[in-house]
Every structure is written in structure tokens, then in C-alpha cells.
Amino acid sequence: MARIGKVKTSVSCLYISRLEDVDMEVLRELCAWAVATMRARHPTGPSPD
């Protein structure tokens, strides 16, 4: 979390006041990790089309 820049955190939230204070590449990595983790923990079947 130290690499992301100036943010505040709570239990499961990330508070960003100004996007220019945040390293966007690190934010992308964090989002990708969060999505992958949630998909691994909560797998779903194929979506109906």
C-alpha cells in the first residue's frame, strides 16, 4: 500500500482524495488483484446469454 501514494484506508475501503496523488499503475495492479481474488474465492458458473 505504501507504493500507491497518498490515500487513506479503513477495514475494506481505499479513500482517494486526488487522483494525481495516486500511482495509477499501482492502483491498476491493486484492482486486478482484488478482482482475481474475489473470482477465486467466489467462483460462478457460466453466465446465461
Side-chain angles (χ1 to χ4, degrees):
M1 288 302 281
R3 295 182 336 164
I4 198 165
K6 189 176 178 182
V7 296
K8 293 181 182 180
T9 60
S10 67
V11 176
S12 63
C13 296
L14 180 70
Y15 298 98
I16 300 171
S17 295
R18 304 184 76 173
L19 284 177
E20 56 263 13
D21 293 339
V22 174
D23 184 330
M24 295 305 284
E25 186 57 36
V26 176
L27 182 58
R28 282 186 194 94
E29 291 173 17
L30 178 62
C31 290
W33 172 83
V35 168
T37 300
M38 292 303 290
R39 285 183 176 157
R41 289 184 185 173
H42 308 283
T44 61
S47 60
D49 289 333

